[in-house]
Amino acid sequence: VQLVESGGGLVQAGGSLRLSCVASGSTIRDMTMSWYRQAPGKQLDLVAFTSNDGRIYYEEVVKGRFMISRDNGKNTVSLQMNDLKPEDTAVYYCHAERPFTGYSSWGQGTQVTVSS
């Protein structure tokens, strides 16, 4: 599956952005879809995921501010980010994984910059 992210940009602290990830080449219906982020000089962190069986996970620091959603019919997954903080600045990556198969795919990433 090919993944293309969009929606990143520059926003002031307290603002909002909505990231979108469009998948092609395969349905995401049976996949766990995740958003990761990597800030400069830091490790890649899992931000949120939505599994094919309805489970949703958020990293503690984004709970109550970010919301992940998926539309299997449109083969998309989104990340609504509210009340953004400078520490949310990172490159955000979309990831797809088909459980128990070892199959996964990454998007190219989209930059989110939050100014103070």
Side-chain angles (χ1 to χ4, degrees):
V1 63
Q2 291 76 47
L3 305 173
V4 178
E5 303 100 331
S6 62
L10 173 64
V11 64
Q12 289 188 331
S16 298
L17 285 174
R18 184 176 180 86
L19 305 184
S20 294
C21 173
V22 179
S24 60
S26 180
T27 179
I28 67 168
R29 195 173 300 275
D30 60 347
M31 294 185 177
T32 293
M33 301 299 297
S34 306
W35 287 97
Y36 286 78
R37 66 184 178 185
Q38 187 168 31
K42 296 191 176 181
Q43 66 182 23
L44 188 66
D45 287 331
L46 174 62
V47 177
F49 74 70
T50 169
S51 71
N52 61 316
D53 60 359
R55 288 174 294 122
I56 291 180
Y57 163 87
Y58 295 102
E59 183 183 26
E60 189 66 31
V61 295
V62 308
K63 282 183 179 178
R65 300 189 297 122
F66 290 11
M67 185 173 73
I68 191 170
S69 60
R70 65 191 293 161
D71 186 331
N72 290 333
K74 294 183 178 179
N75 241 26
T76 61
V77 62
S78 299
L79 186 68
Q80 177 66 42
M81 306 187 295
N82 300 322
D83 189 23
L84 283 160
K85 306 177 186 300
E87 51 265 41
D88 294 317
T89 295
V91 178
Y92 285 70
Y93 297 91
C94 181
H95 179 259
E97 180 179 3
R98 185 168 285 125
F100 312 114
T101 68
Y103 177 82
S104 68
S105 180
W106 290 93
Q108 83 287 352
T110 185
Q111 176 71 47
V112 170
T113 303
V114 184
S115 63
S116 58

